[in-house]
């Protein structure tokens, strides 16, 4: 599960019992400060002729959801327990699963050796490099096969609902963990080709990567535009708390039992319960009738037509970001300029390349450089969870409050008594805020990555983790910007396009970072952080270009 950033319900009882008027909604109910002309006015002037006429379409849709009985009404209150428990599973199983996989690869590496297998030999730099390379190839195969299915599956969620994406995340992960548990048993003689076969099979089911678009689509379905970026941050809090509890729980269980497999067994039980919970989770986008689907599909198709439709569904989510692909709709809160979406997704892609590539090699890197075990990995993941909790509970809301205080003054309603102008002003302010924090996050990522090769000591790994948690505010800001640029009926497709891009990036970055680490493990293992820092810097440049494009629009 990578990078999940859902949010809070919109026009219902807000999270933590606050009224919407008291949340830190970007630009909500405030007017542009006269000295804020540089950024906010670029949105104001650059988008004023492009923004679709404001309507109550979103309010009507949310009101229809609100009218449902509580047990059928989609809400963040339903989503939070799922995210929290999924985060615990991630915290409990991530480190042990990586350690067991490396152990399996190492055991297979020395299978034909006459000497008895000793786990200590797996700590040698050459063995760690070989393990990292094999791990990167396994992941590369999984993500490559997922490229051909993720777009199709996520686009189907626009018709059959978002819960399908949750199921197709949990079940493949359970299959992989069952296989690793079996292969890690001392008596098992299965070769590593089973790991490659599993990667191919899991990739065909979405690669376990569908939770992000599923949760983000769920939030977009039941959340209004105003305050969405911060609303996405609320679920990051649940994720952070789960990541605090998970590694501690997993580490305690492993210490008590002396068996890494215990963590995966607990994970399997928990995910089974999550599947049951998903059954009762209200669907945010109810299924259409069979007649509607038949009309949409257009009746029976030949095999060749079905094949062409499938290929089109693979490519369409990615092509959605090209100019002219967004449908004209009153659902669109901020209509993008010609290349805004393409550039925004490119910047986000650079950040994902940096983060996902590093994630592939992180455990082999810390095993080699700092001789970490699952215990130290647990401490690290817990610290990451604490950092995310502090960022999304304290720092992010504080920064947004300061931003609004500095750049917005008074009430937007006073400056724009007309409801149409008021709505446009809120949308411009929200877009300006989201882009500002996206640029901020990209910049912090550069610092987080580059300080590691400069000061390669254990404390720096934890400091870098905190900076990356702070930089992750770029993720909800990106999702908020993206979902504001597309109508609700294309939200699943758009987020599916991002997921397809993530999948391609994971495949390529896994192979690249694995290769780099295998070449530099004995000379400069931290070279992988230089690669990540370079990609984050490119993201900063692209984000600044987007900012400058609004200035030129003025």
């Amino acid at each position: 599960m990578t990078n999940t950033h859902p949010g809070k319900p919109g026009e219902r009882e807000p999270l933590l019992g606050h009224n919407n008027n008291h949340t830190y909604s970007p630009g909500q109910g405030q007017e542009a400060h006269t000295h804020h002309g540089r950024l906010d006015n670029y949105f104001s002037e650059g988008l004023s002729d492009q923004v679709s006429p404001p309507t109550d379409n979103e309010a009507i849709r949310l009101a229809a959801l609100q009218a449902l009985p509580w047990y059928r009404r989609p809400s963040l209150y339903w989503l939070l327990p799922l995210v929290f428990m999924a985060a615990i599973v991630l915290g409990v199983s991530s480190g042990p699963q990586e350690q067991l996989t490396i152990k399996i690869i190492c055991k297979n590496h020395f299978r034909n050796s006459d000497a008895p297998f000793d786990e200590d030999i797996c700590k040698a730099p050459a063995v760690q490099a070989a393990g990292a390379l094999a791990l990167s190839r396994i992941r590369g195969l999984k993500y490559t096969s997922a490229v051909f299915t993720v777009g199709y599956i996520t686009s189907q969620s626009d018709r059959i609902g978002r819960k399908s994406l949750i199921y197709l995340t949990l079940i493949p992960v359970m299959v992989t963990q069952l296989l690793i548990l079996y292969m890690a048993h001392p008596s098992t003689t299965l070769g590593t080709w089973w790991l490659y076969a599993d990667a191919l099979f899991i990739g065909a089911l979405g690669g376990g990567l569908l939770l992000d678009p599923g949760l983000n689509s769920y939030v977009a379905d039941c959340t209004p535009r105003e305050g969405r970026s911060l609303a996405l941050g609320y679920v990051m809090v649940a994720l952070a708390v789960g990541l605090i509890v998970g590694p501690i729980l997993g580490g305690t269980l492993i210490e008590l039992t002396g068996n890494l497999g215990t963590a995966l067994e607990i994970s399997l039980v928990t995910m089974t319960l999550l599947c049951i919970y998903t059954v009762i989770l209200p669907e945010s986008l109810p299924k259409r009738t069979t007649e509607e689907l038949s009309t949409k599909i257009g009746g029976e198709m030949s095999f060749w037509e079905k094949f062409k439709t499938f290929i089109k569904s693979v490519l369409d989510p990615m092509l959605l970001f090209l100019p002219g692909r967004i449908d004209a709709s009153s659902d669109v809160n901020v209509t993008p300029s010609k290349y805004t979406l393409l550039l925004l997704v490119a910047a986000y892609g650079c950040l994902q390349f940096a983060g996902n590539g590093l994630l592939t090699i992180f455990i082999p890197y810390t095993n080699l450089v700092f001789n970490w075990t699952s215990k130290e990995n647990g401490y690290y993941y817990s610290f990451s969870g604490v950092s995310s909790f502090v960022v999304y509970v304290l720092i992010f809301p504080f920064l947004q409050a300061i931003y609004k205080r500095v750049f917005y003054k008074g009430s937007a309603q006073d400056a724009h008594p007309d409801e149409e102008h008021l709505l446009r002003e809120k949308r411009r302010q929200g877009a300006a805020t989201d882009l500002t924090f996206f640029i901020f996050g990209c910049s912090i990522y550069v610092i987080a990555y580059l300080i590691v090769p400069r000061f390669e000591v254990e404390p720096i790994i934890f400091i870098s983790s905190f900076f990356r948690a702070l930089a992750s505010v770029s993720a909800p800001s990106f999702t908020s910007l993206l979902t504001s640029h597309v109508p609700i009926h294309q939200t699943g497709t758009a987020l599916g396009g991002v997921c397809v891009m993530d999948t391609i990036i994971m495949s390529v970055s896994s192979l690249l970072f694995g290769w780099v680490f295998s070449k530099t493990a004995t000379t400069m293992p931290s070279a992988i952080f230089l690669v990540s820092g370079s990609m984050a810097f490119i993201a900063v440049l692209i984000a600044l270009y987007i900012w400058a494009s609004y200035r030129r629009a003025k």
Side-chain angles (χ1 to χ4, degrees), residues 305-334:
E305 289 174 329
K306 290 180 180 179
F307 178 75
K308 289 193 296 183
T309 301
F310 173 75
I311 296 299
K312 185 173 181 290
S313 70
V314 172
L315 299 177
D316 267 356
M318 288 284 289
L319 299 177
L320 186 68
F321 307 122
L322 296 177
R325 302 283 298 201
I326 301 298
D327 294 342
S329 171
S330 58
D331 277 339
V332 179
N333 289 313
V334 180

PDB file of all heavy atoms in Angstrom, residues 305-334:
ATOM      1  N   GLU A 305     -13.585  -6.655 -30.517  1.00  0.00           N
ATOM      2  CA  GLU A 305     -14.070  -5.393 -29.965  1.00  0.00           C
ATOM      3  C   GLU A 305     -13.776  -5.313 -28.470  1.00  0.00           C
ATOM      4  O   GLU A 305     -13.412  -4.264 -27.936  1.00  0.00           O
ATOM      5  CB  GLU A 305     -15.567  -5.247 -30.228  1.00  0.00           C
ATOM      6  CG  GLU A 305     -15.915  -4.984 -31.689  1.00  0.00           C
ATOM      7  CD  GLU A 305     -17.405  -5.002 -31.927  1.00  0.00           C
ATOM      8  OE1 GLU A 305     -18.113  -5.746 -31.195  1.00  0.00           O
ATOM      9  OE2 GLU A 305     -17.881  -4.286 -32.830  1.00  0.00           O
ATOM     10  N   LYS A 306     -13.957  -6.458 -27.771  1.00  0.00           N
ATOM     11  CA  LYS A 306     -13.652  -6.479 -26.343  1.00  0.00           C
ATOM     12  C   LYS A 306     -12.166  -6.248 -26.093  1.00  0.00           C
ATOM     13  O   LYS A 306     -11.778  -5.552 -25.154  1.00  0.00           O
ATOM     14  CB  LYS A 306     -14.075  -7.818 -25.736  1.00  0.00           C
ATOM     15  CG  LYS A 306     -15.576  -8.010 -25.645  1.00  0.00           C
ATOM     16  CD  LYS A 306     -15.918  -9.360 -25.033  1.00  0.00           C
ATOM     17  CE  LYS A 306     -17.418  -9.556 -24.929  1.00  0.00           C
ATOM     18  NZ  LYS A 306     -17.765 -10.884 -24.361  1.00  0.00           N
ATOM     19  N   PHE A 307     -11.323  -6.830 -26.975  1.00  0.00           N
ATOM     20  CA  PHE A 307      -9.882  -6.650 -26.825  1.00  0.00           C
ATOM     21  C   PHE A 307      -9.509  -5.189 -27.044  1.00  0.00           C
ATOM     22  O   PHE A 307      -8.707  -4.624 -26.288  1.00  0.00           O
ATOM     23  CB  PHE A 307      -9.137  -7.549 -27.830  1.00  0.00           C
ATOM     24  CG  PHE A 307      -7.646  -7.388 -27.790  1.00  0.00           C
ATOM     25  CD1 PHE A 307      -6.906  -7.937 -26.759  1.00  0.00           C
ATOM     26  CD2 PHE A 307      -6.997  -6.673 -28.779  1.00  0.00           C
ATOM     27  CE1 PHE A 307      -5.523  -7.779 -26.719  1.00  0.00           C
ATOM     28  CE2 PHE A 307      -5.615  -6.506 -28.749  1.00  0.00           C
ATOM     29  CZ  PHE A 307      -4.874  -7.072 -27.722  1.00  0.00           C
ATOM     30  N   LYS A 308     -10.086  -4.564 -28.081  1.00  0.00           N
ATOM     31  CA  LYS A 308      -9.788  -3.149 -28.331  1.00  0.00           C
ATOM     32  C   LYS A 308     -10.281  -2.285 -27.182  1.00  0.00           C
ATOM     33  O   LYS A 308      -9.622  -1.311 -26.799  1.00  0.00           O
ATOM     34  CB  LYS A 308     -10.430  -2.711 -29.651  1.00  0.00           C
ATOM     35  CG  LYS A 308      -9.765  -3.289 -30.882  1.00  0.00           C
ATOM     36  CD  LYS A 308     -10.224  -2.589 -32.159  1.00  0.00           C
ATOM     37  CE  LYS A 308     -11.702  -2.816 -32.407  1.00  0.00           C
ATOM     38  NZ  LYS A 308     -12.144  -2.192 -33.683  1.00  0.00           N
ATOM     39  N   THR A 309     -11.448  -2.641 -26.636  1.00  0.00           N
ATOM     40  CA  THR A 309     -11.972  -1.886 -25.497  1.00  0.00           C
ATOM     41  C   THR A 309     -11.048  -2.016 -24.291  1.00  0.00           C
ATOM     42  O   THR A 309     -10.810  -1.045 -23.568  1.00  0.00           O
ATOM     43  CB  THR A 309     -13.379  -2.394 -25.122  1.00  0.00           C
ATOM     44  OG1 THR A 309     -14.242  -2.243 -26.252  1.00  0.00           O
ATOM     45  CG2 THR A 309     -13.942  -1.605 -23.940  1.00  0.00           C
ATOM     46  N   PHE A 310     -10.502  -3.217 -24.097  1.00  0.00           N
ATOM     47  CA  PHE A 310      -9.581  -3.439 -22.975  1.00  0.00           C
ATOM     48  C   PHE A 310      -8.312  -2.611 -23.137  1.00  0.00           C
ATOM     49  O   PHE A 310      -7.859  -1.945 -22.200  1.00  0.00           O
ATOM     50  CB  PHE A 310      -9.233  -4.920 -22.868  1.00  0.00           C
ATOM     51  CG  PHE A 310      -8.166  -5.212 -21.850  1.00  0.00           C
ATOM     52  CD1 PHE A 310      -8.451  -5.188 -20.494  1.00  0.00           C
ATOM     53  CD2 PHE A 310      -6.869  -5.495 -22.246  1.00  0.00           C
ATOM     54  CE1 PHE A 310      -7.473  -5.446 -19.559  1.00  0.00           C
ATOM     55  CE2 PHE A 310      -5.879  -5.750 -21.329  1.00  0.00           C
ATOM     56  CZ  PHE A 310      -6.181  -5.726 -19.963  1.00  0.00           C
ATOM     57  N   ILE A 311      -7.710  -2.639 -24.337  1.00  0.00           N
ATOM     58  CA  ILE A 311      -6.492  -1.857 -24.579  1.00  0.00           C
ATOM     59  C   ILE A 311      -6.773  -0.371 -24.400  1.00  0.00           C
ATOM     60  O   ILE A 311      -5.964   0.369 -23.828  1.00  0.00           O
ATOM     61  CB  ILE A 311      -5.944  -2.134 -26.001  1.00  0.00           C
ATOM     62  CG1 ILE A 311      -5.520  -3.604 -26.108  1.00  0.00           C
ATOM     63  CG2 ILE A 311      -4.777  -1.213 -26.312  1.00  0.00           C
ATOM     64  CD1 ILE A 311      -4.418  -4.005 -25.156  1.00  0.00           C
ATOM     65  N   LYS A 312      -7.940   0.053 -24.871  1.00  0.00           N
ATOM     66  CA  LYS A 312      -8.310   1.454 -24.722  1.00  0.00           C
ATOM     67  C   LYS A 312      -8.451   1.820 -23.243  1.00  0.00           C
ATOM     68  O   LYS A 312      -8.044   2.899 -22.813  1.00  0.00           O
ATOM     69  CB  LYS A 312      -9.629   1.722 -25.454  1.00  0.00           C
ATOM     70  CG  LYS A 312     -10.069   3.176 -25.468  1.00  0.00           C
ATOM     71  CD  LYS A 312     -11.299   3.341 -26.364  1.00  0.00           C
ATOM     72  CE  LYS A 312     -11.749   4.796 -26.419  1.00  0.00           C
ATOM     73  NZ  LYS A 312     -12.315   5.235 -25.130  1.00  0.00           N
ATOM     74  N   SER A 313      -9.009   0.880 -22.460  1.00  0.00           N
ATOM     75  CA  SER A 313      -9.178   1.165 -21.026  1.00  0.00           C
ATOM     76  C   SER A 313      -7.837   1.232 -20.315  1.00  0.00           C
ATOM     77  O   SER A 313      -7.710   1.903 -19.298  1.00  0.00           O
ATOM     78  CB  SER A 313     -10.058   0.081 -20.390  1.00  0.00           C
ATOM     79  OG  SER A 313      -9.373  -1.157 -20.324  1.00  0.00           O
ATOM     80  N   VAL A 314      -6.812   0.529 -20.842  1.00  0.00           N
ATOM     81  CA  VAL A 314      -5.480   0.592 -20.251  1.00  0.00           C
ATOM     82  C   VAL A 314      -4.854   1.950 -20.493  1.00  0.00           C
ATOM     83  O   VAL A 314      -4.214   2.531 -19.609  1.00  0.00           O
ATOM     84  CB  VAL A 314      -4.584  -0.528 -20.831  1.00  0.00           C
ATOM     85  CG1 VAL A 314      -3.131  -0.355 -20.378  1.00  0.00           C
ATOM     86  CG2 VAL A 314      -5.099  -1.895 -20.398  1.00  0.00           C
ATOM     87  N   LEU A 315      -5.036   2.468 -21.714  1.00  0.00           N
ATOM     88  CA  LEU A 315      -4.381   3.719 -22.090  1.00  0.00           C
ATOM     89  C   LEU A 315      -5.175   4.955 -21.707  1.00  0.00           C
ATOM     90  O   LEU A 315      -4.592   6.002 -21.423  1.00  0.00           O
ATOM     91  CB  LEU A 315      -4.125   3.717 -23.601  1.00  0.00           C
ATOM     92  CG  LEU A 315      -3.209   2.604 -24.139  1.00  0.00           C
ATOM     93  CD1 LEU A 315      -3.123   2.695 -25.659  1.00  0.00           C
ATOM     94  CD2 LEU A 315      -1.831   2.702 -23.522  1.00  0.00           C
ATOM     95  N   ASP A 316      -6.496   4.852 -21.719  1.00  0.00           N
ATOM     96  CA  ASP A 316      -7.331   6.029 -21.500  1.00  0.00           C
ATOM     97  C   ASP A 316      -7.056   6.783 -20.201  1.00  0.00           C
ATOM     98  O   ASP A 316      -7.016   8.015 -20.201  1.00  0.00           O
ATOM     99  CB  ASP A 316      -8.815   5.651 -21.573  1.00  0.00           C
ATOM    100  CG  ASP A 316      -9.375   5.842 -22.974  1.00  0.00           C
ATOM    101  OD1 ASP A 316      -8.623   6.336 -23.836  1.00  0.00           O
ATOM    102  OD2 ASP A 316     -10.547   5.504 -23.203  1.00  0.00           O
ATOM    103  N   PRO A 317      -6.887   6.100 -19.061  1.00  0.00           N
ATOM    104  CA  PRO A 317      -6.633   6.849 -17.827  1.00  0.00           C
ATOM    105  C   PRO A 317      -5.397   7.739 -17.914  1.00  0.00           C
ATOM    106  O   PRO A 317      -5.395   8.857 -17.394  1.00  0.00           O
ATOM    107  CB  PRO A 317      -6.450   5.742 -16.779  1.00  0.00           C
ATOM    108  CG  PRO A 317      -7.246   4.601 -17.298  1.00  0.00           C
ATOM    109  CD  PRO A 317      -7.064   4.657 -18.777  1.00  0.00           C
ATOM    110  N   MET A 318      -4.342   7.258 -18.579  1.00  0.00           N
ATOM    111  CA  MET A 318      -3.139   8.068 -18.732  1.00  0.00           C
ATOM    112  C   MET A 318      -3.362   9.209 -19.710  1.00  0.00           C
ATOM    113  O   MET A 318      -2.861  10.321 -19.525  1.00  0.00           O
ATOM    114  CB  MET A 318      -1.982   7.190 -19.208  1.00  0.00           C
ATOM    115  CG  MET A 318      -1.444   6.242 -18.154  1.00  0.00           C
ATOM    116  SD  MET A 318      -0.418   7.093 -16.934  1.00  0.00           S
ATOM    117  CE  MET A 318       1.009   7.457 -17.933  1.00  0.00           C
ATOM    118  N   LEU A 319      -4.129   8.928 -20.781  1.00  0.00           N
ATOM    119  CA  LEU A 319      -4.369   9.953 -21.806  1.00  0.00           C
ATOM    120  C   LEU A 319      -5.302  11.048 -21.321  1.00  0.00           C
ATOM    121  O   LEU A 319      -5.401  12.108 -21.948  1.00  0.00           O
ATOM    122  CB  LEU A 319      -4.955   9.299 -23.064  1.00  0.00           C
ATOM    123  CG  LEU A 319      -4.073   8.247 -23.755  1.00  0.00           C
ATOM    124  CD1 LEU A 319      -4.807   7.640 -24.941  1.00  0.00           C
ATOM    125  CD2 LEU A 319      -2.750   8.850 -24.188  1.00  0.00           C
ATOM    126  N   LEU A 320      -5.985  10.811 -20.205  1.00  0.00           N
ATOM    127  CA  LEU A 320      -6.928  11.800 -19.684  1.00  0.00           C
ATOM    128  C   LEU A 320      -6.242  13.116 -19.365  1.00  0.00           C
ATOM    129  O   LEU A 320      -6.878  14.173 -19.385  1.00  0.00           O
ATOM    130  CB  LEU A 320      -7.610  11.245 -18.427  1.00  0.00           C
ATOM    131  CG  LEU A 320      -8.734  12.092 -17.820  1.00  0.00           C
ATOM    132  CD1 LEU A 320      -9.934  12.119 -18.759  1.00  0.00           C
ATOM    133  CD2 LEU A 320      -9.142  11.539 -16.458  1.00  0.00           C
ATOM    134  N   PHE A 321      -4.941  13.077 -19.065  1.00  0.00           N
ATOM    135  CA  PHE A 321      -4.228  14.293 -18.666  1.00  0.00           C
ATOM    136  C   PHE A 321      -3.766  15.131 -19.848  1.00  0.00           C
ATOM    137  O   PHE A 321      -3.232  16.217 -19.657  1.00  0.00           O
ATOM    138  CB  PHE A 321      -3.022  13.911 -17.792  1.00  0.00           C
ATOM    139  CG  PHE A 321      -3.388  13.044 -16.621  1.00  0.00           C
ATOM    140  CD1 PHE A 321      -2.809  11.803 -16.442  1.00  0.00           C
ATOM    141  CD2 PHE A 321      -4.331  13.472 -15.702  1.00  0.00           C
ATOM    142  CE1 PHE A 321      -3.157  10.999 -15.372  1.00  0.00           C
ATOM    143  CE2 PHE A 321      -4.686  12.671 -14.630  1.00  0.00           C
ATOM    144  CZ  PHE A 321      -4.104  11.432 -14.462  1.00  0.00           C
ATOM    145  N   LEU A 322      -3.978  14.618 -21.057  1.00  0.00           N
ATOM    146  CA  LEU A 322      -3.614  15.390 -22.242  1.00  0.00           C
ATOM    147  C   LEU A 322      -4.647  16.490 -22.479  1.00  0.00           C
ATOM    148  O   LEU A 322      -5.798  16.380 -22.037  1.00  0.00           O
ATOM    149  CB  LEU A 322      -3.525  14.478 -23.457  1.00  0.00           C
ATOM    150  CG  LEU A 322      -2.429  13.402 -23.417  1.00  0.00           C
ATOM    151  CD1 LEU A 322      -2.508  12.525 -24.660  1.00  0.00           C
ATOM    152  CD2 LEU A 322      -1.048  14.043 -23.290  1.00  0.00           C
ATOM    153  N   PRO A 323      -4.271  17.567 -23.175  1.00  0.00           N
ATOM    154  CA  PRO A 323      -5.211  18.663 -23.423  1.00  0.00           C
ATOM    155  C   PRO A 323      -6.473  18.201 -24.140  1.00  0.00           C
ATOM    156  O   PRO A 323      -6.428  17.371 -25.053  1.00  0.00           O
ATOM    157  CB  PRO A 323      -4.390  19.620 -24.307  1.00  0.00           C
ATOM    158  CG  PRO A 323      -2.970  19.318 -23.985  1.00  0.00           C
ATOM    159  CD  PRO A 323      -2.920  17.847 -23.694  1.00  0.00           C
ATOM    160  N   GLY A 324      -7.627  18.712 -23.699  1.00  0.00           N
ATOM    161  CA  GLY A 324      -8.897  18.456 -24.354  1.00  0.00           C
ATOM    162  C   GLY A 324      -9.579  17.162 -23.967  1.00  0.00           C
ATOM    163  O   GLY A 324     -10.607  16.815 -24.556  1.00  0.00           O
ATOM    164  N   ARG A 325      -9.060  16.431 -22.974  1.00  0.00           N
ATOM    165  CA  ARG A 325      -9.631  15.138 -22.622  1.00  0.00           C
ATOM    166  C   ARG A 325     -10.637  15.217 -21.471  1.00  0.00           C
ATOM    167  O   ARG A 325     -11.368  14.271 -21.225  1.00  0.00           O
ATOM    168  CB  ARG A 325      -8.516  14.157 -22.221  1.00  0.00           C
ATOM    169  CG  ARG A 325      -7.475  13.934 -23.289  1.00  0.00           C
ATOM    170  CD  ARG A 325      -7.962  13.018 -24.360  1.00  0.00           C
ATOM    171  NE  ARG A 325      -8.268  11.697 -23.852  1.00  0.00           N
ATOM    172  CZ  ARG A 325      -8.337  10.611 -24.574  1.00  0.00           C
ATOM    173  NH1 ARG A 325      -8.099  10.681 -25.884  1.00  0.00           N
ATOM    174  NH2 ARG A 325      -8.650   9.435 -24.055  1.00  0.00           N
ATOM    175  N   ILE A 326     -10.653  16.349 -20.762  1.00  0.00           N
ATOM    176  CA  ILE A 326     -11.572  16.502 -19.640  1.00  0.00           C
ATOM    177  C   ILE A 326     -12.935  16.937 -20.157  1.00  0.00           C
ATOM    178  O   ILE A 326     -13.049  17.900 -20.930  1.00  0.00           O
ATOM    179  CB  ILE A 326     -11.042  17.536 -18.624  1.00  0.00           C
ATOM    180  CG1 ILE A 326      -9.683  17.091 -18.094  1.00  0.00           C
ATOM    181  CG2 ILE A 326     -12.025  17.730 -17.479  1.00  0.00           C
ATOM    182  CD1 ILE A 326      -9.706  15.784 -17.338  1.00  0.00           C
ATOM    183  N   ASP A 327     -13.996  16.253 -19.749  1.00  0.00           N
ATOM    184  CA  ASP A 327     -15.343  16.605 -20.180  1.00  0.00           C
ATOM    185  C   ASP A 327     -15.770  17.945 -19.589  1.00  0.00           C
ATOM    186  O   ASP A 327     -15.438  18.271 -18.440  1.00  0.00           O
ATOM    187  CB  ASP A 327     -16.340  15.530 -19.733  1.00  0.00           C
ATOM    188  CG  ASP A 327     -16.111  14.203 -20.429  1.00  0.00           C
ATOM    189  OD1 ASP A 327     -15.434  14.200 -21.481  1.00  0.00           O
ATOM    190  OD2 ASP A 327     -16.595  13.177 -19.915  1.00  0.00           O
ATOM    191  N   ALA A 328     -16.506  18.713 -20.371  1.00  0.00           N
ATOM    192  CA  ALA A 328     -17.092  19.950 -19.858  1.00  0.00           C
ATOM    193  C   ALA A 328     -18.210  19.587 -18.892  1.00  0.00           C
ATOM    194  O   ALA A 328     -19.132  18.859 -19.234  1.00  0.00           O
ATOM    195  CB  ALA A 328     -17.625  20.800 -21.001  1.00  0.00           C
ATOM    196  N   SER A 329     -18.133  20.079 -17.675  1.00  0.00           N
ATOM    197  CA  SER A 329     -19.123  19.725 -16.663  1.00  0.00           C
ATOM    198  C   SER A 329     -19.115  20.756 -15.559  1.00  0.00           C
ATOM    199  O   SER A 329     -18.085  21.364 -15.247  1.00  0.00           O
ATOM    200  CB  SER A 329     -18.808  18.334 -16.076  1.00  0.00           C
ATOM    201  OG  SER A 329     -19.621  18.059 -14.966  1.00  0.00           O
ATOM    202  N   SER A 330     -20.278  20.953 -14.969  1.00  0.00           N
ATOM    203  CA  SER A 330     -20.372  21.863 -13.832  1.00  0.00           C
ATOM    204  C   SER A 330     -19.709  21.275 -12.596  1.00  0.00           C
ATOM    205  O   SER A 330     -19.529  21.968 -11.603  1.00  0.00           O
ATOM    206  CB  SER A 330     -21.844  22.166 -13.510  1.00  0.00           C
ATOM    207  OG  SER A 330     -22.550  20.967 -13.246  1.00  0.00           O
ATOM    208  N   ASP A 331     -19.345  19.973 -12.639  1.00  0.00           N
ATOM    209  CA  ASP A 331     -18.630  19.354 -11.527  1.00  0.00           C
ATOM    210  C   ASP A 331     -17.205  19.869 -11.405  1.00  0.00           C
ATOM    211  O   ASP A 331     -16.582  19.740 -10.364  1.00  0.00           O
ATOM    212  CB  ASP A 331     -18.571  17.835 -11.704  1.00  0.00           C
ATOM    213  CG  ASP A 331     -19.840  17.166 -11.222  1.00  0.00           C
ATOM    214  OD1 ASP A 331     -20.554  17.776 -10.417  1.00  0.00           O
ATOM    215  OD2 ASP A 331     -20.131  16.041 -11.669  1.00  0.00           O
ATOM    216  N   VAL A 332     -16.656  20.394 -12.523  1.00  0.00           N
ATOM    217  CA  VAL A 332     -15.272  20.831 -12.514  1.00  0.00           C
ATOM    218  C   VAL A 332     -15.165  22.123 -11.727  1.00  0.00           C
ATOM    219  O   VAL A 332     -15.733  23.150 -12.103  1.00  0.00           O
ATOM    220  CB  VAL A 332     -14.743  21.029 -13.948  1.00  0.00           C
ATOM    221  CG1 VAL A 332     -13.305  21.505 -13.919  1.00  0.00           C
ATOM    222  CG2 VAL A 332     -14.857  19.732 -14.732  1.00  0.00           C
ATOM    223  N   ASN A 333     -14.427  22.079 -10.632  1.00  0.00           N
ATOM    224  CA  ASN A 333     -14.300  23.250  -9.778  1.00  0.00           C
ATOM    225  C   ASN A 333     -13.286  24.247 -10.306  1.00  0.00           C
ATOM    226  O   ASN A 333     -13.455  25.440 -10.193  1.00  0.00           O
ATOM    227  CB  ASN A 333     -13.892  22.808  -8.366  1.00  0.00           C
ATOM    228  CG  ASN A 333     -15.014  22.101  -7.645  1.00  0.00           C
ATOM    229  OD1 ASN A 333     -16.137  22.558  -7.638  1.00  0.00           O
ATOM    230  ND2 ASN A 333     -14.716  20.957  -7.061  1.00  0.00           N
ATOM    231  N   VAL A 334     -12.181  23.752 -10.848  1.00  0.00           N
ATOM    232  CA  VAL A 334     -11.165  24.623 -11.423  1.00  0.00           C
ATOM    233  C   VAL A 334     -10.788  24.047 -12.773  1.00  0.00           C
ATOM    234  O   VAL A 334     -10.235  22.962 -12.848  1.00  0.00           O
ATOM    235  CB  VAL A 334      -9.909  24.703 -10.527  1.00  0.00           C
ATOM    236  CG1 VAL A 334      -8.868  25.617 -11.162  1.00  0.00           C
ATOM    237  CG2 VAL A 334     -10.264  25.200  -9.138  1.00  0.00           C
TER     238      VAL A 334
END
